[in-house]
Amino acid sequence: MFAAGRPFRGSRGGQMLLKNLPAISELNESYKPRSEDVRQVAGPGGRSNVSPETLIARYRQGELNAVSLLHNLAQVLQFHLELKETVTTGNIAGLYFAFCVVIDGVEYKTGMGITKKEARLKAAVLAVQDLLPTWESQKSVLPEASGVPPPLPVKEQPSISDIHPCRAIHERKNSVNLQIPNAVRGQLTKLMNSHPEFSACAGTTAAFIIQTSGGCEVVAVGTGNFNTNGSALSSGRIVHDSHAVVTARRSLMRFLYRHLLMFFSKMANLMEKSIFEQNSSSGLLSMKSGITLHLYVNQLPKGAAQIPSKLRLNPLSISAWQVNNEISLHLSVEGKVFSVFSSTFDHSTSKVVSMSATDKLTQWQVLGYQGALLSHFIEPIYVQSILIGDSGCSDIRGMEISVSQRVEGITSQLPMFYCMMRPHINLVPSVATNSTDSSHLTYSANWSEGDSCLEVVDGLEGKTIEESPFKSGTALASRLCKAAMLHRFKLVAKEAQRQDLLATSSYREAKICLMFGTTNCCLFACTQ
């Protein structure tokens, strides 16, 4: 968080997240398989007369290449296949084309080559390597080839595939992708039923979910779409960024502090309930095995994730400036988002500026969602999947490029326990509709597991509103502000008997954590 009137530190900072970006091309046509890609195996109705087992055997014997195998299996098994042009990975020098295979919305590893044909073939080989074990283990359930096309289903009403074909493909995932939005919807309904006057906030919902063998549990919820219009100098009692993802993440941090207190209590029943266990190799705590963290967002995050879906990436493109503008660092000012290269952003203003939600997600997938203070006690925590419930979104390509590819290859440079965690990104059903009620437009609600009720903050003011179900005091400082977080940090330091941490006198001083700081420096250097 910084004021735009002073020199923009993050915008040396302004070049952040650009190092690994390629140039892009203008629109190009979709890839169409040529005659050498698909052998003449089709029978009546366009279906293949050759069994999947035979096709796989021909591939292993060298009679079919990987591209041909995929196209023929797409006919037999009736899945949607696309060879999609994407960005080069791993900071590769020189002019290379990059493609990846997309099957029913699932992207596989990127293949690169000096020609498009070579890049497509390498991408197909990588996908086949991943898929062959699954296909061969399911031979007993592979459909028999038939010359008769399958019967057409009778539709009583338009389905989502009629409206957003790409979205329907992305939503055909495993059951977890339905369990998570169902869990979020259930928790959100409880909260809004208790406080219906704030139900208009639900449209921007973001939530963190813990998954165990027992199912999915929502542990943190945040809503909001603004950041404060005040000064950055607030003694830590103003919430500067109230966007839903940021609010949910700070609510998650409160959940983590609560479970740290349970662990350090040394009471057997509380330690058993805590999500943490001691890691003897690091000396830090880590989440117990079998526990994974997931993020749900009801709107596509602001910033580079909203790159136009029809942009195509090409190393020989004349549109390099355009892609840098689209995928570069973005800034949020009072709910409006600008590229750092935007001529419409007024750098002379004294308003508070924050990084866009997409850029923060990119950082958290390297630094961890726990933040600097909690890094004194626990290993980095990453989300395994990011699920997008935006009903108006049918393309997650911008999100994948922004979060998963901009800093790809950084892991080898990071300290132990840190990595670039590439999450699964999928479209799922929405849990709430956007409200047309403008009276609560700037409000941001937060909740974490263990809270008795919502807290509602005015995003522009950065303080709790008078009508909020929860208020921490007459000063209306939010339970998510830095001062509140420092208080919880000191409580955990006391329980953990960390006198060195108890001696810290400020939030800035408490943030000094060697491994976290080193990782942050590596991330900054990688993106210059």
Side-chain angles (χ1 to χ4, degrees), residues 122-315:
K122 287 186 177 180
V125 169
L126 291 171
V128 169
Q129 288 174 351
D130 283 347
L131 289 166
L132 271 182
T134 302
W135 283 333
E136 293 184 324
S137 67
Q138 296 179 344
K139 281 183 179 179
S140 59
V141 296
L142 287 175
E144 293 296 328
S146 169
V148 182
L152 295 174
V154 176
K155 297 180 183 177
E156 297 182 357
Q157 57 184 8
S159 68
I160 193 169
S161 59
D162 298 319
I163 304 168
H164 293 300
C166 293
R167 183 178 179 82
I169 293 166
H170 284 294
E171 285 186 357
R172 292 203 297 267
K173 296 290 184 286
N174 57 52
S175 60
V176 173
N177 287 0
L178 295 178
Q179 292 175 26
I180 288 176
N182 286 342
V184 175
R185 185 181 297 106
Q187 184 59 54
L188 195 61
T189 299
K190 289 180 183 178
L191 293 171
M192 294 308 167
N193 284 347
S194 300
H195 310 288
E197 66 273 26
F198 300 113
S199 59
C201 298
T204 59
T205 296
F208 286 92
I209 303 91
I210 291 286
Q211 183 190 6
T212 65
S213 57
C216 297
E217 179 186 4
V218 179
V219 298
V221 174
T223 74
N225 223 11
F226 281 81
N227 55 325
T228 181
N229 59 4
S231 167
L233 303 175
S234 62
S235 302
R237 299 187 184 279
I238 295 293
V239 177
H240 292 292
D241 191 342
S242 294
H243 285 85
V245 170
V246 179
T247 301
R249 185 250 185 171
R250 294 184 76 82
S251 297
L252 172 69
M253 292 164 69
R254 294 182 60 242
F255 168 79
L256 297 177
Y257 277 119
R258 187 174 290 121
H259 277 256
L260 281 174
L261 288 172
M262 292 164 65
F263 179 87
F264 287 123
S265 71
K266 303 302 180 185
M267 298 174 64
N269 61 327
L270 292 180
M271 293 180 70
E272 184 179 354
K273 292 179 181 178
S274 173
I275 64 170
F276 293 113
E277 62 184 2
Q278 187 73 51
N279 186 326
S280 57
S281 62
S282 67
L284 298 171
L285 303 185
S286 60
M287 286 204 303
K288 292 176 180 175
S289 59
I291 297 178
T292 55
L293 182 66
H294 305 267
L295 171 62
Y296 169 88
V297 291
N298 203 55
Q299 290 184 351
L300 188 65
K302 292 180 180 179
Q306 298 185 0
I307 178 176
S309 62
K310 292 185 178 181
L311 283 179
R312 291 291 180 259
L313 308 178
N314 187 318

Side-chain angles (χ1 to χ4, degrees), residues 39-55 58 72 75-77 143-149:
R39 300 297 177 93
Q40 300 301 313
V41 296
R47 293 290 299 270
S48 173
N49 288 325
V50 182
S51 70
E53 293 89 341
T54 301
L55 291 171
R58 287 183 181 179
N72 283 298
Q75 290 183 18
V76 176
L77 302 180
E144 293 296 328
S146 169
V148 182

Side-chain angles (χ1 to χ4, degrees), residues 467-485:
E467 301 80 12
S468 173
F470 175 87
K471 292 191 290 287
S472 58
T474 56
L476 299 180
S478 169
R479 58 191 177 189
L480 301 185
C481 71
K482 289 183 179 179
M485 292 296 178

